[in-house]
Amino acid sequence: MSDPRYPIGRFDRGQEITPEKLAGWKDDVAALPAQLRAAVAGLNDAQLDTPYREDGWTLRQVVHHLADSHMNAYIRFKLALTEESPTIKPYFEERWAEQQEARTAPIDVSLDLIDALHARWSMALRNMSDPDFNRTFVHPESGLTRLDVNLGIYSWHGRHHVAHITTTREREGC
């Protein structure tokens, strides 16, 4: 692994978003809670407070970040499904990760939140029609974003952060 920031590489949606690719991304969203729980199983507080890379977040912060980020993603999906190309509000993920509860709270709080959030998000995804995935929202910094592309980003995002945890465990022997 040449860059510990990207243990599975950067997001690449590929040339075409096929029905098979879309189905795989939906499956990834549904699978994340169990994969995340498996990745952190048995870690003690000292291990959870280990950064995944030099000057990086701790494993605890990564877990809490996943909850924060995926809550925002779910809300963006719901806004795009119920409004015409709404402009969403970005957030400063780095500042959220530095908040006291993100640095010290037990991870079970966010693991439980992710379980419930991904159950709801998966239900919404399974009930979306093909045209629904063409709906959009506007991100003030990156512009117009289609829901199918955003789903791919969050499929990658979950796997990306689980890999931060598993590669840290391998490196640290925990």
Side-chain angles (χ1 to χ4, degrees), residues 37-95:
R37 282 186 182 276
V40 298
L43 292 176
N44 62 37
D45 282 336
Q47 293 164 328
L48 288 168
D49 292 331
T50 301
Y52 74 87
R53 66 177 173 87
E54 186 175 335
D55 298 322
W57 291 337
T58 66
L59 301 186
R60 180 184 313 276
Q61 286 171 296
V62 169
V63 171
H64 294 312
H65 163 71
L66 277 165
D68 292 341
S69 177
H70 289 209
M71 279 189 294
N72 276 282
Y74 174 71
I75 290 167
R76 291 169 182 178
F77 263 78
K78 295 293 276 194
L79 288 169
L81 288 169
T82 60
E83 300 176 22
E84 291 304 316
S85 294
T87 299
I88 57 95
K89 183 172 184 347
Y91 73 104
F92 295 103
E93 65 183 34
E94 306 82 16
R95 293 180 190 173

Side-chain angles (χ1 to χ4, degrees), residues 85-146:
S85 294
T87 299
I88 57 95
K89 183 172 184 347
Y91 73 104
F92 295 103
E93 65 183 34
E94 306 82 16
R95 293 180 190 173
W96 287 40
E98 290 303 323
Q99 294 294 299
Q100 183 69 17
E101 95 284 351
R103 291 186 291 112
T104 62
I107 61 170
D108 287 343
V109 173
S110 284
L111 293 173
D112 290 346
L113 193 156
I114 290 167
D115 285 343
L117 175 65
H118 277 249
R120 280 288 305 274
W121 196 1
S122 291
M123 283 186 253
L125 291 170
R126 301 274 181 227
N127 287 305
M128 288 171 64
S129 66
D130 290 342
D132 286 339
F133 284 97
N134 294 322
R135 295 186 65 87
T136 59
F137 62 81
V138 178
H139 190 293
E141 296 165 0
S142 56
L144 195 66
T145 302
R146 281 188 5 195

Side-chain angles (χ1 to χ4, degrees), residues 31-42:
L32 177 69
Q35 292 169 344
L36 181 59
R37 282 186 182 276
V40 298

Side-chain angles (χ1 to χ4, degrees), residues 1 8 11 18 21-22 31 33 48 55-56 70 78 92 98 107 109 121 136 147 149 152 158 162 170 172:
M1 170 181 51
I8 64 168
F11 173 68
T18 63
K21 188 178 286 188
L22 201 59
L48 288 168
D55 298 322
H70 289 209
K78 295 293 276 194
F92 295 103
E98 290 303 323
I107 61 170
V109 173
W121 196 1
T136 59
L147 290 184
V149 173
V162 166
E170 290 168 12
E172 299 293 324

